[in-house]
């Protein structure tokens, strides 16, 4: 193999040339162009504060939704099943205690809901051997 020496080989000239005094005036030209364009600076720490406040608000609202639904869904009135279950497990509760707690409006509501015909009442009284007990109550 033949030895290669850079000094002896013909050199290829580059197609690029810099103008005279280019590097002397380069810094002043760049500074003039930078001064012409003003860039709006946005502080990153402000954006981070806003994003963190928004994220905290979203998390707080997300945690409050089940609590608000729980308070709004509770009705103050008892449903029939709950009341019936409660009364069935109370052994010391009798019919006189229930009657004592009824108001006139409750009695009127009970009267409207009961729709018994005379024939139904007669059938019940005739089939029941304890007629005297039913009449006394």
């Amino acid at each position: 193999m033949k030895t290669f020496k850079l000094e002896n080989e013909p050199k290829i000239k580059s197609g690029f040339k810099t103008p005279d005094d280019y590097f002397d005036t380069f810094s002043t030209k760049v500074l003039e162009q930078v001064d012409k364009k003003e860039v709006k600076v946005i502080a990153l720490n402000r954006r981070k504060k806003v994003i963190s406040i928004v994220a905290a608000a979203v998390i707080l609202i997300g945690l409050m939704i089940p609590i608000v639904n729980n308070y709004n869904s509770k009705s103050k009135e008892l449903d029939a099943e709950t009341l019936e279950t409660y009364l069935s497990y109370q052994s010391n509760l009798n019919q006189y205690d229930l009657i004592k707690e009824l108001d006139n409006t409750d009695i009127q509501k009970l009267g409207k809901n009961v729709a018994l015909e005379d024939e139904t009442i007669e059938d019940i009284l005739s089939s029941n051997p304890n007629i005297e007990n039913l009449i006394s109550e």
Side-chain angles (χ1 to χ4, degrees):
M1 188 171 210
K2 198 172 164 186
T3 59
F4 180 75
K5 294 187 179 179
L6 283 174
E7 293 86 23
N8 296 339
E9 295 295 321
K11 295 183 180 177
I12 300 173
K13 291 188 177 182
S14 170
F16 301 105
K17 292 185 180 182
T18 58
D20 296 334
D21 298 331
Y22 178 75
F23 291 106
D24 294 336
T25 59
F26 179 74
S27 61
T28 56
K29 286 181 184 178
V30 169
L31 289 176
E32 286 176 1
Q33 290 178 354
V34 169
D35 289 339
K36 289 180 187 176
K37 297 179 184 178
E38 290 188 27
V39 178
K40 186 176 179 181
V41 177
I42 299 173
L44 290 178
N45 57 355
R46 248 192 213 168
R47 181 181 284 176
K48 287 181 182 178
K49 286 180 184 177
V50 170
I51 290 173
S52 64
I53 290 172
V54 168
V58 167
I59 290 171
L60 183 67
I61 290 171
L63 292 175
M64 290 297 292
I65 287 173
I67 296 170
V68 170
N69 283 341
N70 191 16
Y71 283 123
N72 289 342
S73 67
K74 287 185 180 177
S75 64
K76 303 219 178 195
E77 296 181 17
L78 294 175
D79 59 341
E81 293 176 10
T82 307
L83 185 59
E84 185 178 343
T85 306
Y86 174 75
L87 293 177
S88 66
Y89 288 115
Q90 296 298 320
S91 63
N92 58 356
L93 191 65
N94 58 21
Q95 63 187 2
Y96 299 110
D97 292 335
L98 292 175
I99 292 171
K100 192 177 6 173
E101 296 298 324
L102 291 176
D103 295 337
N104 289 334
T105 56
D106 295 332
I107 294 171
Q108 290 173 357
K109 286 180 185 177
L110 288 174
K112 289 179 183 176
N113 291 339
V114 176
L116 293 177
E117 297 178 1
D118 292 336
E119 295 174 2
T120 310
I121 295 173
E122 288 176 8
D123 290 339
I124 291 172
L125 291 176
S126 65
S127 64
N128 196 347
N130 295 330
I131 295 173
E132 295 172 358
N133 188 15
L134 291 175
I135 292 173
S136 66
E137 288 181 8

